[in-house]
Amino acid sequence: MTRYTFATAGLVVAMTATIGAQTVTPVHPGKGGSPHVRAEWTIDGAKVSIEYGRPSLKGRAVGKDVATNGQVWRTGADEATTLKTDKALMIGSLHLPAGTYTLYTLPAEKGWQLIVNKQTGQWGTVYDQAQDAGRVPMTAGQAKTPVDQLTITIDDTPKGGTLRIEWGTTSASVAFSVM
């Protein structure tokens, strides 16, 4: 086995153990060293997946050096982060039909915005606001424990789920329901 295979196996075991009903599959090691994964959940009968690059902080600060406050961020590394759902979702106040989308975020000191974009397959830094399906506010706060490597999860809730993005000491989340 290669070193990447061992590291990937460890990542999958660690994430599965800590995130419960989430299934994480390695996609590729990433050109810049950030591993890419596909995380999958079944929430109220909907199959939801997010494919993203997982950059590490490497001493940088979220909001200042990376995921800069006030600037649209690709929410991951390398290729654009992709959300797929086989059922319609209501994310905050945004009605999202079943399909494939790109996720961006707009970080800020007192709350983030989740940006759902209809353009897919592009490099992460290629953002076309005209392709936005919509934007919804996210609740930003402190992560329970600092997270060196970007982590995107969905928590299953009685009324759908909560999409959570954690990096450094930042945790940004938004509730959604299955339509």
Side-chain angles (χ1 to χ4, degrees), residues 1-9:
M1 283 186 147
T2 65
R3 184 172 60 178
Y4 171 69
T5 305
F6 282 126
T8 301

Short mmCIF file of all heavy atoms in Angstrom, two decimals, residues 1-9:
data_model
loop_
_atom_site.label_atom_id
_atom_site.label_comp_id
_atom_site.label_asym_id
_atom_site.label_seq_id
_atom_site.Cartn_x
_atom_site.Cartn_y
_atom_site.Cartn_z
N MET A 1 0.84 -1.18 0.00
CA MET A 1 0.00 0.00 0.00
C MET A 1 0.88 1.24 0.00
O MET A 1 1.92 1.27 0.62
CB MET A 1 -0.87 0.06 1.25
CG MET A 1 -2.04 -0.85 1.25
SD MET A 1 -3.01 -0.49 2.75
CE MET A 1 -4.59 -0.81 2.11
N THR A 2 0.41 2.27 -0.66
CA THR A 2 1.16 3.52 -0.66
C THR A 2 0.85 4.31 0.60
O THR A 2 -0.11 4.04 1.31
CB THR A 2 0.76 4.37 -1.88
OG1 THR A 2 -0.60 4.75 -1.74
CG2 THR A 2 1.00 3.64 -3.18
N ARG A 3 1.68 5.33 0.84
CA ARG A 3 1.46 6.19 2.01
C ARG A 3 0.08 6.86 1.91
O ARG A 3 -0.61 7.02 2.88
CB ARG A 3 2.57 7.22 2.11
CG ARG A 3 2.45 8.07 3.35
CD ARG A 3 3.62 8.94 3.55
NE ARG A 3 3.77 9.81 2.40
CZ ARG A 3 4.69 10.73 2.29
NH1 ARG A 3 5.58 10.89 3.23
NH2 ARG A 3 4.76 11.50 1.23
N TYR A 4 -0.33 7.29 0.69
CA TYR A 4 -1.64 7.92 0.50
C TYR A 4 -2.76 6.96 0.89
O TYR A 4 -3.71 7.35 1.54
CB TYR A 4 -1.82 8.41 -0.94
CG TYR A 4 -3.23 8.87 -1.21
CD1 TYR A 4 -3.71 10.03 -0.62
CD2 TYR A 4 -4.11 8.12 -1.99
CE1 TYR A 4 -5.00 10.44 -0.82
CE2 TYR A 4 -5.40 8.53 -2.19
CZ TYR A 4 -5.84 9.70 -1.61
OH TYR A 4 -7.14 10.11 -1.80
N THR A 5 -2.62 5.69 0.50
CA THR A 5 -3.66 4.72 0.83
C THR A 5 -3.80 4.59 2.34
O THR A 5 -4.91 4.57 2.87
CB THR A 5 -3.35 3.36 0.19
OG1 THR A 5 -3.19 3.55 -1.21
CG2 THR A 5 -4.46 2.36 0.46
N PHE A 6 -2.67 4.50 3.06
CA PHE A 6 -2.73 4.42 4.52
C PHE A 6 -3.37 5.67 5.11
O PHE A 6 -4.22 5.59 5.98
CB PHE A 6 -1.33 4.24 5.12
CG PHE A 6 -0.80 2.84 5.01
CD1 PHE A 6 0.42 2.59 4.43
CD2 PHE A 6 -1.53 1.76 5.50
CE1 PHE A 6 0.92 1.31 4.33
CE2 PHE A 6 -1.05 0.47 5.40
CZ PHE A 6 0.18 0.25 4.81
N ALA A 7 -2.94 6.84 4.62
CA ALA A 7 -3.50 8.10 5.15
C ALA A 7 -4.99 8.19 4.86
O ALA A 7 -5.78 8.60 5.71
CB ALA A 7 -2.78 9.29 4.53
N THR A 8 -5.39 7.79 3.66
CA THR A 8 -6.79 7.84 3.30
C THR A 8 -7.61 6.87 4.15
O THR A 8 -8.68 7.22 4.64
CB THR A 8 -6.97 7.49 1.81
OG1 THR A 8 -6.22 8.43 1.06
CG2 THR A 8 -8.42 7.56 1.40
N ALA A 9 -7.09 5.68 4.36
CA ALA A 9 -7.80 4.70 5.18
C ALA A 9 -7.99 5.25 6.59
O ALA A 9 -9.05 5.13 7.18
CB ALA A 9 -7.06 3.38 5.21
#
